[in-house]
Amino acid sequence: MQTLNLIKKSIVISFASIILACGAETLAAIVFIPAFAATWPVVGVNDYSIDLQPDANNKGVEFGVFNGAEINNPSGLYQANNMLSGSFNGLNIEFTIKRVNINNDLDTTFVKFTGKMTPVSDTDHNITKIELNSSSDGQLVLGFD
């Protein structure tokens, strides 16, 4: 029993030493809580954007889920606002867009995007760019100029 208590104390002391040695900024970087709720323009495509909106329970957390919409897909085949849902874990993000054909609502496709978010810095978790890939649609980059 005494050995177990000694191990617990050693772990606590080690963790406290790491915090003191590295500082709070490094610890904040280990647990990354992204801030990405916005309507994101698609880089290089006028009037095409992706709206990503976590609800109140999924803001200010390291991982969670969100909903949103694809707005004005440039192909002209789909509704102006196609719903999407997804998840994030740190800087990793993925979502699936439900694209409804404007001529035949039975012709619906689901397109999955996965990618990484780029923050301002290790301490400023506001996202500046989101780079995504889809096996069917290729690369999609979201960002502000």
Side-chain angles (χ1 to χ4, degrees):
M1 187 62 138
Q2 211 172 22
T3 304
L4 184 60
N5 285 336
L6 184 59
I7 291 172
K8 286 180 184 178
K9 286 179 184 177
S10 296
I11 290 172
V12 169
I13 290 170
S14 297
F15 188 68
S17 298
I18 290 170
I19 292 172
L20 290 173
C22 297
E25 291 175 1
T26 301
L27 184 61
I30 293 170
V31 177
F32 202 92
I33 301 173
F36 63 90
T39 299
W40 290 84
V42 176
V43 173
V45 185
N46 289 337
D47 299 324
Y48 181 30
S49 59
I50 304 290
D51 183 48
L52 305 175
Q53 297 296 331
D55 65 16
N57 293 330
N58 290 283
K59 288 182 180 178
V61 294
E62 182 181 2
F63 58 90
V65 296
F66 58 89
N67 291 304
E70 174 186 52
I71 304 167
N72 297 326
N73 181 298
S75 74
L77 297 174
Y78 306 106
Q79 293 180 2
N81 294 311
N82 294 295
M83 303 313 292
L84 65 82
S85 61
S87 63
F88 63 96
N89 187 351
L91 293 174
N92 297 312
I93 187 169
E94 66 178 44
F95 57 84
T96 300
I97 301 172
K98 179 183 177 183
R99 290 186 176 152
V100 179
N101 188 305
I102 58 172
N103 298 314
N104 179 1
D105 62 358
L106 297 177
D107 183 19
T108 299
T109 59
F110 294 87
V111 180
K112 183 176 182 177
F113 286 93
T114 59
K116 294 271 187 190
M117 298 182 279
T118 303
V120 172
S121 69
D122 285 344
T123 56
D124 183 345
H125 294 191
N126 286 297
I127 302 301
T128 60
K129 180 170 54 171
I130 303 174
E131 295 179 89
L132 302 153
N133 284 294
S134 167
S135 60
S136 62
D137 279 27
Q139 186 177 32
L140 187 71
V141 178
L142 311 177
F144 298 97
D145 293 333

